[in-house]
Amino acid sequence: MKKIKTVNHDLWDHGISQGFSVDGTVYISGQFSHDSEGAFVGDGDIEAQTRQTLANLDRVLEGFNITRSNLAYLEIYLTNALEDTGPAIEIFKEYMGEHRPAGSLIGVNHLASPEQLIEISAIAYTE
């Protein structure tokens, strides 16, 4: 029997869950820089956007009663990879501590909202 759980923030409905867990594997949709009310945070500021995006990732993890140490794989998307990789990676390393999941950093032309500089999706485990 499959064990399935979803987590949503109920801010808007794009037809996807913020997180979907099946049999101990958690798939986390792309997180970006918005506060708990849905307002965008950090216009033009990669450091503020990275910190808020990681805070949002933490909220999804908490919904599954796990922490960042359960992260197995992340994809970080940057709209200005040449300039923003350094600051984003430094904040990410601070966030992860000693834990080192697998991952990719991908430069893209744009994300869902024009003000977005970063988006992070992930896979974690619960068992």
Side-chain angles (χ1 to χ4, degrees):
M1 181 167 130
K2 292 186 186 300
K3 292 193 270 183
I4 296 175
K5 178 182 178 180
T6 60
V7 168
N8 288 298
H9 53 43
D10 298 321
L11 293 173
W12 47 79
D13 182 4
H14 295 301
I16 60 173
S17 297
Q18 292 303 301
F20 187 98
S21 174
V22 60
D23 291 338
T25 301
V26 180
Y27 303 91
I28 300 171
S29 296
Q31 300 298 301
F32 63 96
S33 184
H34 62 82
D35 65 18
S36 61
E37 302 298 314
F40 190 78
V41 174
D43 193 18
D45 184 342
I46 187 61
E47 292 181 16
Q49 287 192 31
T50 302
R51 290 184 193 286
Q52 183 64 52
T53 299
L54 292 169
N56 292 341
L57 179 59
D58 276 342
R59 276 195 281 284
V60 177
L61 293 168
E62 288 168 12
F64 292 99
N65 297 314
I66 57 176
T67 67
R68 57 188 78 159
S69 65
N70 293 86
L71 290 166
Y73 178 80
L74 291 98
E75 286 185 345
I76 301 172
Y77 302 92
L78 295 174
T79 59
N80 191 354
L82 292 176
E83 288 183 27
D84 293 342
T85 293
I89 291 300
E90 286 307 310
I91 293 166
F92 176 74
K93 287 172 29 181
E94 174 187 312
Y95 169 84
M96 291 308 309
E98 296 299 314
H99 181 57
R100 294 291 185 260
S104 296
L105 189 142
I106 304 161
V108 296
N109 290 329
H110 57 83
L111 293 162
S113 298
E115 63 273 4
Q116 273 183 265
L117 301 175
I118 187 169
E119 185 169 317
I120 300 175
S121 61
I123 300 172
Y125 62 92
T126 61
E127 300 173 3

